[in-house]
Amino acid sequence: ENGYETGEHAPGLKLGGCGAYKAAHHIIKTHAQVWHSYNSTWRREQQGMVGISLTSGWGEPVDPHSQTDRDAAERYIQFHLGWFANPIYRGDYPEVMKNYVGKKSAQQGLGTSRLPTFSVQEKTYIKGTSDFLGIGHFTTRYVLQKNFPFLQVSGYHTDRDLAELVDPNWPVPGPKWLYSVPWGFRRLLNFIKTQYGNPLIYVTENGVSETVQCSQLCDEWRIQYLKGYINEILKALNDGVNVKGYTAWSLLDKFEWNKGFSERFGLYHIDFKNKNKPRYPKASVDYYKKIISANGFPNPREVIY
């Protein structure tokens, strides 16, 4: 969406309400082709695995007793995670996605939906092409129904008919989009278990950035974020979710999309102004080292079920 609809990220294309859907369609088909190539050529010899890594927030209904809010929260997840995961695990785009994009396309007077379709052969070819699911997760939103007025130019965000809210009491240690809401991760992992047949999961990205440099490298907020989110993964494991591994995001401060070097996710601080780019451990390094050494929380009393 950022690369092919809004143009915020590379390659910077603004292709209206079709660009993001077309790009995703090609990604999914290409992923399937790579999986089949490995499966037929190298798997027997190497015994490796091929999966896909998808990033998704969690959407929680503003009013859990409201069917419209529950439906909106479901759309939030299906338009994020389901967009890619549903074809791979169930053979096609989510029904709600097909219905909403199709309806908006018809309102615009288009003869076909802006969401491309898979042929019967493509659905069969794509379904099951993942030996594991990589999950990147950072934050959560409250979601409610929002009807957008008829737009001649509709796109990914208006197709969903929903609004995203945050709780002002949620900690926001880094950029304005990244609120610390650990309980959302457990709910996302359980959603994956239910929707996609409890696949093997590797958490490939989970972390928090700071926008203001802390000269003392005292990133206590990152320690609390990691503790909270890892604890929710432990709860998900107790729920029966098949999580195999966890990767904190990220080892080093780095170039962060269109934010450049201003947004720092690293456990290690990098002095980008020094030509040698020296690296300095933040406080979170020592904490995360202890988690790795213990393969969990060093002090069992830290874990709250």
Side-chain angles (χ1 to χ4, degrees):
E1 185 224 352
N2 287 331
Y4 293 87
E5 187 164 306
T6 67
E8 290 177 42
H9 292 174
L13 300 179
K14 297 180 182 180
L15 301 177
C18 297
Y21 296 134
K22 286 182 179 178
H25 200 68
H26 289 305
I27 288 170
I28 294 164
K29 292 201 291 184
T30 304
H31 162 79
Q33 191 166 356
V34 170
W35 187 93
H36 281 287
S37 175
Y38 184 86
N39 195 51
S40 60
T41 309
W42 299 107
R43 188 185 298 276
R44 183 176 297 176
E45 177 186 340
Q46 296 181 349
Q47 297 296 304
M49 295 195 301
V50 177
I52 192 165
S53 185
L54 305 174
T55 299
S56 179
W58 173 250
E60 184 75 8
V62 168
D63 179 1
H65 303 293
S66 163
Q67 186 63 50
T68 56
D69 284 3
R70 291 202 303 270
D71 290 345
E74 171 81 10
R75 288 198 302 279
Y76 178 89
I77 299 296
Q78 294 293 0
F79 268 79
H80 272 72
L81 181 66
W83 185 4
F84 295 87
N86 220 73
I88 291 169
Y89 284 97
R90 304 179 75 169
D92 199 4
Y93 291 121
E95 285 300 315
V96 69
M97 201 173 177
K98 292 193 290 183
N99 291 341
Y100 269 71
V101 180
K103 178 180 67 177
K104 297 287 180 109
S105 301
Q107 288 174 351
Q108 293 173 260
L110 301 175
T112 58
S113 175
R114 287 179 284 104
L115 182 70
T117 56
F118 295 113
S119 68
V120 174
Q121 292 82 3
E122 285 173 337
K123 290 176 185 178
T124 303
Y125 187 73
I126 292 164
K127 185 178 180 181
T129 57
S130 199
D131 304 317
F132 66 89
L133 178 61
I135 284 293
H137 174 75
F138 295 91
T139 193
T140 285
R141 293 288 185 268
Y142 279 120
V143 181
L144 76 166
Q145 168 85 19
K146 179 182 179 181
N147 294 320
F148 286 90
F150 170 69
L151 298 169
Q152 205 55 46
V153 179
S154 194
Y156 173 76
H157 274 282
T158 56
D159 284 339
R160 305 176 300 167
D161 274 353
L162 59 85
E164 302 174 34
L165 305 175
V166 297
D167 185 332
N169 294 316
W170 288 344
V172 56
K176 60 184 180 180
W177 65 271
L178 210 171
Y179 290 78
S180 180
V181 195
W183 53 261
F185 203 3
R186 181 185 185 184
R187 298 186 186 194
L188 176 65
L189 291 169
N190 272 281
F191 175 88
I192 292 166
K193 173 190 171 186
T194 303
Q195 288 276 312
Y196 309 125
N198 203 14
L200 176 64
I201 294 173
Y202 288 92
V203 178
T204 47
E205 289 187 28
N206 175 240
V208 66
S209 62
E210 71 259 26
T211 50
V212 178
Q213 183 179 328
C214 182
S215 57
Q216 286 79 38
L217 304 172
C218 49
D219 58 344
E220 176 63 27
W221 63 84
R222 182 173 284 109
I223 291 172
Q224 294 306 316
Y225 181 98
L226 292 171
K227 180 191 286 188
Y229 276 77
I230 292 171
N231 195 29
E232 291 298 318
I233 298 170
L234 285 170
K235 293 178 187 178
L237 279 166
N238 285 344
D239 297 335
V241 180
N242 191 14
V243 182
K244 185 73 171 178
Y246 173 86
T247 308
W249 188 263
S250 58
L251 178 67
L252 307 171
D253 290 337
K254 58 175 180 52
F255 190 85
E256 185 64 30
W257 297 98
N258 56 341
K259 303 297 182 183
F261 299 115
S262 66
E263 199 167 302
R264 296 171 177 265
F265 276 89
L267 275 68
Y268 282 83
H269 171 80
I270 308 296
D271 183 358
F272 293 112
K273 295 178 181 177
N274 187 312
K275 69 174 183 178
N276 294 321
K277 307 292 185 292
R279 307 165 185 182
Y280 303 100
K282 302 173 187 177
S284 54
V285 167
D286 186 59
Y287 181 73
Y288 194 54
K289 277 182 178 179
K290 290 176 181 175
I291 289 178
I292 292 170
S293 297
N295 195 29
F297 292 114
N299 179 357
R301 288 178 296 178
E302 285 188 90
V303 184
I304 302 171
Y305 291 102

